[in-house]
């Protein structure tokens, strides 16, 4: 079955430390890939997306993500975390084609806490 | 402001009552979605409408119905609410599934007692 997995439920980092949030997908072909962020009590905001081409994608707020086809992964990174980055992060996918190709599916999310 | 508008923002229902969550977007988007968000479960797709006139089931459609009234509006109906439907519901819309991001409403917090 098609799926998107975020293995880490909760991550805590110190302000200024680097961050990597993991995302793995299981689809027949490489899907379109997204990272969203949700602050408490808010809706979701797009951080970045990958469709094709350069496998290192830059997003807003200093985030980047790297697509690795061999590992079916799309991990989110940030070199230096700020306290305002504390939020919940969701990886999402849309199948490239075929049945359900408009089905935008989210992972279960990773909650990020930042220690001042 | 342009965007996705959900109503109501909060609702308390008794078990067995019915209600309709409304969603409207003014961005001329083609596709619209309804999700529910529960702690530790992320966002789970209930129904979606790839284009006006079409609707499809998502991951958790049981107990819900939808109507794509026109290109702007996509409503979610609970015919007989159950406590298991206590959740935060989000509506989203996309102009094109590939090139544009999904825009989300602010959510409806529903409690079924």
């Amino acid at each position: 079955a098609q799926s998107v997995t975020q293995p880490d439920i909760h991550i805590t980092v110190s302000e200024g430390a680097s961050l990597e949030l993991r995302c793995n997908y299981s689809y027949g072909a490489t899907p379109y890939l997204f990272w969203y962020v949700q602050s408490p009590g808010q809706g979701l905001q797009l951080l970045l997306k990958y469709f094709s081409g350069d496998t290192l994608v830059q997003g807003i707020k200093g985030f980047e993500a790297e697509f690795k086809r061999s590992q079916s992964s799309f991990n989110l990174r940030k070199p230096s975390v700020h306290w305002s980055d504390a939020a919940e992060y969701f990886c999402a996918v849309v199948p490239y084609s075929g049945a359900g190709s408009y089905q935008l599916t989210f992972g279960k999310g990773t909650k990020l806490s930042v220690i001042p | 402001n342009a965007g996705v508008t959900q109503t109501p923002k909060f609702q308390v229902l008794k078990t067995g009552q019915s209600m309709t969550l409304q969603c409207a977007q003014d961005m001329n988007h083609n596709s619209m979605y309804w999700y529910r968000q529960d702690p530790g479960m992320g966002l789970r797709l209930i129904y979606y409408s790839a284009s006006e006139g079409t609707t499809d089931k998502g991951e958790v459609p049981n107990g819900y119905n939808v109507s794509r009234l026109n290109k702007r509006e996509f409503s979610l109906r609970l015919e007989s609410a159950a406590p298991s439907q206590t959740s935060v519901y989000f509506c989203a819309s996309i102009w094109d599934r590939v090139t544009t991001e999904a825009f989300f409403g602010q959510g409806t917090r529903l409690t079924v007692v």
Side-chain angles (χ1 to χ4, degrees):
Chain A
Q2 299 174 336
S3 66
V4 54
T5 302
Q6 294 179 245
D8 304 305
I9 296 173
H10 190 185
I11 286 181
T12 300
V13 300
S14 297
E15 192 169 18
S18 63
L19 172 70
E20 182 170 32
L21 303 182
R22 296 182 289 165
C23 174
N24 295 95
Y25 62 89
S26 173
Y27 280 78
T30 300
Y32 300 114
L33 299 157
F34 308 82
W35 275 100
Y36 284 83
V37 60
Q38 184 182 33
S39 298
Q42 301 296 312
L44 281 78
Q45 180 184 23
L46 180 71
L47 285 175
L48 46 76
K49 57 192 176 186
Y50 174 78
F51 299 142
S52 64
D54 193 346
T55 56
L56 187 62
V57 179
Q58 301 297 320
I60 63 171
K61 304 185 180 187
F63 285 92
E64 65 179 26
E66 185 173 14
F67 168 63
K68 293 186 177 180
R69 185 187 307 274
S70 61
Q71 298 177 19
S72 297
S73 69
F74 187 55
N75 293 348
L76 182 71
R77 301 195 295 242
K78 187 169 185 178
S80 178
V81 170
H82 188 263
W83 64 266
S84 60
D85 294 324
E88 192 157 18
Y89 292 80
F90 294 93
C91 182
V93 302
V94 171
Y96 179 76
S97 63
S101 59
Y102 282 82
Q103 200 158 337
L104 176 60
T105 301
F106 287 82
K108 292 188 184 331
T110 298
K111 183 176 181 179
L112 174 66
S113 297
V114 180
I115 301 172
Chain B
N1 290 338
V4 179
T5 303
Q6 284 183 241
T7 55
K9 288 186 170 51
F10 301 93
Q11 184 72 48
V12 179
L13 289 179
K14 294 182 179 179
T15 298
Q17 286 185 320
S18 63
M19 79 161 295
T20 300
L21 281 64
Q22 306 287 351
C23 176
Q25 52 91 8
D26 56 7
M27 297 171 284
N28 201 35
H29 285 177
N30 292 312
S31 303
M32 298 184 73
Y33 302 77
W34 275 106
Y35 293 90
R36 60 177 290 173
Q37 184 175 26
D38 304 289
M41 301 297 291
L43 280 83
R44 292 182 291 171
L45 183 62
I46 305 172
Y47 273 92
Y48 65 103
S49 170
S51 60
E52 185 180 358
T54 69
T55 60
D56 286 284
K57 295 178 180 179
E59 181 184 355
V60 289
N62 291 345
Y64 305 95
N65 285 300
V66 291
S67 295
R68 184 75 183 265
L69 304 171
N70 47 55
K71 192 170 186 179
R72 291 187 62 248
E73 299 171 287
F74 188 41
S75 63
L76 178 71
R77 183 161 178 84
L78 287 71
E79 291 291 351
S80 179
S84 60
Q85 294 177 303
T86 294
S87 187
V88 180
Y89 292 85
F90 285 98
C91 177
S93 72
I94 304 177
W95 180 76
D96 175 274
R97 71 184 182 96
V98 172
T99 62
T100 58
E101 67 182 276
F103 285 80
F104 284 82
Q106 288 301 301
T108 297
R109 186 173 294 275
L110 175 66
T111 301
V112 183
V113 298

